[in-house]
Amino acid sequence: MGLVLWLVSLALLAFQVLLLARAALDWSFVLAGPAAAGSVRNRLAVGVRAITEPVLAPVRRVLPPVRMGGVSLDLAFIVVFLAIILLRAVIGAL
């Protein structure tokens, strides 16, 4: 059972890294502007979104982004990220 828990924890860590990559890529679009079609940054962003969006979309339907003036704060990202941290802590304690 230890191997299974280790693999689940590793998969959660990989997803957590993908969430961080998504945040960095989203910010790169905000700060540097849109990427050219077919560029490495655009292909990475499409790939990371394809992996993370199936998890974030259902949470976003329940917990929509919060408007703060001209900015939206995506609570789904924060909730999923914190849930992964908690799950990995629970797995580590077992």
Side-chain angles (χ1 to χ4, degrees):
M1 190 66 170
L3 178 63
V4 172
L5 290 176
W6 180 80
L7 287 174
V8 169
S9 180
L10 187 63
L12 289 171
L13 177 63
F15 194 78
Q16 201 171 15
V17 169
L18 286 172
L19 284 173
L20 290 174
R22 180 180 173 133
L25 286 165
D26 285 349
W27 272 104
S28 78
F29 284 111
V30 169
L31 297 175
S39 68
V40 172
R41 183 170 58 134
N42 189 39
R43 285 184 282 165
L44 279 172
V46 168
V48 169
R49 279 192 194 111
I51 295 169
T52 58
E53 194 59 28
V55 175
L56 292 174
V59 178
R60 200 176 285 124
R61 279 193 293 273
V62 174
L63 211 61
V66 174
R67 299 289 298 166
M68 298 168 58
V71 178
S72 269
L73 182 62
D74 188 8
L75 296 177
F77 180 90
I78 296 168
V79 167
V80 169
F81 196 83
L82 290 175
I84 290 173
I85 290 172
L86 289 173
L87 280 171
R88 291 191 68 231
V90 168
I91 288 172
L94 295 177

